[in-house]
Amino acid sequence: MNTLFFLIQQTMFFTIPLLIVAIGGMYSERSGVVNIALEGIMIMGGFCSILFIKMMENNLSGQVLLILAILIAMISGALFSLLHAYASINLKADQTISGTALNMLAPALAVFLARMIQPEGVQQIQFKNTFRIESVPVLGDIPIIGDMFFKNTYLTTYLGILILIVATVVLYRTRFGLRLRACGEHPQAVDSVGVSVYKIRYAGVIISGALAGLGGLIFVVTTSTNFNATVAGYGFLALAVLIFGQWKPLYIAGAALFFGFMKTISATYSSIPFLFQIPITGYFYKMVPYVATLIVLIFGSKRSQAPRAAGVPYDQGSR
């Protein structure tokens, strides 16, 4: 049972950032803007928020510091995503090239700023992880369920579940969600009823940036005590989750759980007795998430149907 509890807890640590970033990508692509810059936005969100934690950890600690860092991550991610929004929407640039440029810019900028700000030109940002919740009051005392979901956890786990619920409601039960989906399918129809396609697409990309920045913070906080201008390819893995999840919140949640479990096997196989005893090199387990990604995309690509206008710059004069 202890191994089972450990696996579930670790799976949630890896699943939640994937879920949040993939949902962020969903907002952007549902509006018609392909956002492959999720990796770069995660790095910038993680950099700004972890630097904030490093600077404030002697004055604040625990959940208050984490909540403030969450706000910093979302704001920085949203601001960084504006570069992609402006290039893709106003300049009508190729969205793949724009996203790739941001992915290349983010780690270089994070390393440069870290070396400029920190003493002795160190690029790695060390921080104290005081955010783990040993046991949620009352809920942590529930037999079995309490041990699985309410002990040795993080506030961000429940935030991720809340974001999933809100995304489902917003996408299918609100006027904004209807307009967002319409912009990704037939933007001319949206424009014909007096709704600004540009504003909806900007909103989609900004929300995407905010959630990707938040995902960068959550990934670093729940898996490490330092930040070195990388999120281990999680932005690209989130794109696979988005595609496998068919751009739908609940499907994305299932895909994130699957890939989160694969990542757990990769990272913690030495702590799982029956896996550690198998005479297989550790490199095999480290390959598992990425091999699983390729296999899933190979078999899932045939039924994959992206929003029809995704990646197509909107021309107001065309009909």
Side-chain angles (χ1 to χ4, degrees):
M1 288 299 289
N2 289 334
T3 301
L4 177 62
F5 294 156
F6 173 78
L7 276 175
I8 291 174
Q9 290 168 353
Q10 292 297 316
T11 298
M12 295 306 294
F13 293 160
F14 287 108
T15 296
I16 293 300
L18 269 182
L19 171 65
I20 291 175
V21 177
I23 286 179
M26 178 199 72
Y27 276 104
S28 181
E29 298 204 7
R30 281 285 195 165
S31 73
V33 179
V34 172
N35 191 357
I36 68 167
L38 295 175
E39 177 89 359
I41 298 172
M42 284 183 74
I43 290 173
M44 288 309 299
F47 167 74
C48 293
S49 55
I50 296 300
L51 183 62
F52 173 78
I53 289 173
K54 173 68 174 178
M55 296 172 64
M56 298 299 295
E57 62 186 3
N58 293 327
N59 301 316
L60 298 170
S61 63
Q63 306 312 312
V64 173
L65 181 57
L66 179 59
I67 291 171
L68 293 176
I70 286 171
L71 295 176
I72 296 294
M74 295 184 73
I75 292 170
S76 57
L79 291 176
F80 193 65
S81 70
L82 283 174
L83 296 173
H84 182 55
Y86 181 72
S88 302
I89 300 170
N90 293 89
L91 301 182
K92 296 179 174 59
D94 186 290
Q95 294 168 15
T96 302
I97 294 176
S98 172
T100 301
L102 292 187
N103 285 335
M104 296 174 66
L105 172 65
L109 184 60
V111 168
F112 173 75
L113 292 176
R115 287 180 173 177
M116 289 289 292
I117 295 170
Q118 295 195 112
E120 301 179 1
V122 178
Q123 72 180 46
Q124 193 174 66
I125 305 175
Q126 301 281 346
F127 66 96
K128 298 175 184 176
N129 193 331
T130 60
F131 313 120
R132 187 188 292 265
I133 301 172
E134 295 297 330
S135 179
V136 177
V138 181
L139 297 177
D141 297 328
I142 301 174
I144 301 179
I145 294 177
D147 291 327
M148 286 184 180
F149 302 109
F150 300 109
K151 287 185 178 180
N152 297 318
T153 186
Y154 288 87
L155 178 65
T156 52
T157 298
Y158 311 114
L159 178 60
I161 296 171
L162 178 62
I163 288 172
L164 170 63
I165 295 170
V166 170
T168 304
V169 173
V170 167
L171 196 64
Y172 297 113
R173 294 290 185 268
T174 66
R175 182 179 298 178
F176 172 75
L178 176 62
R179 291 174 175 177
L180 188 78
R181 287 182 285 131
C183 280
E185 296 293 340
H186 203 307
Q188 286 80 12
V190 176
D191 195 19
S192 69
V193 295
V195 177
S196 173
V197 174
Y198 289 171
K199 288 182 180 179
I200 296 295
R201 287 191 169 182
Y202 257 99
V205 176
I206 290 171
I207 294 171
S208 174
L211 293 180
L214 172 59
L217 166 66
I218 294 174
F219 173 76
V220 176
V221 164
T222 56
T223 61
S224 180
T225 56
N226 65 78
F227 177 74
N228 196 23
T230 180
V231 288
Y234 244 56
F236 299 113
L237 199 55
L239 282 172
V241 169
L242 175 63
I243 296 169
F244 186 47
Q246 294 290 295
W247 295 266
K248 298 176 181 178
L250 294 181
Y251 288 6
I252 288 172
L257 191 62
F258 170 76
F259 285 109
F261 180 72
M262 292 294 103
K263 190 69 176 178
T264 299
I265 297 299
S266 169
T268 65
Y269 71 92
S270 60
S271 300
I272 304 171
F274 70 91
L275 289 181
F276 186 66
Q277 292 171 3
I278 299 175
I280 297 177
T281 176
Y283 293 109
F284 172 82
Y285 292 109
K286 293 183 184 300
M287 288 165 42
V288 164
Y290 308 103
V291 172
T293 301
L294 291 174
I295 294 173
V296 165
L297 290 180
I298 288 171
F299 289 99
S301 60
K302 293 183 179 180
R303 61 182 181 84
S304 178
Q305 183 61 54
R308 282 182 292 181
V312 182
Y314 176 60
D315 183 0
Q316 197 170 20
S318 65
R319 285 291 184 270

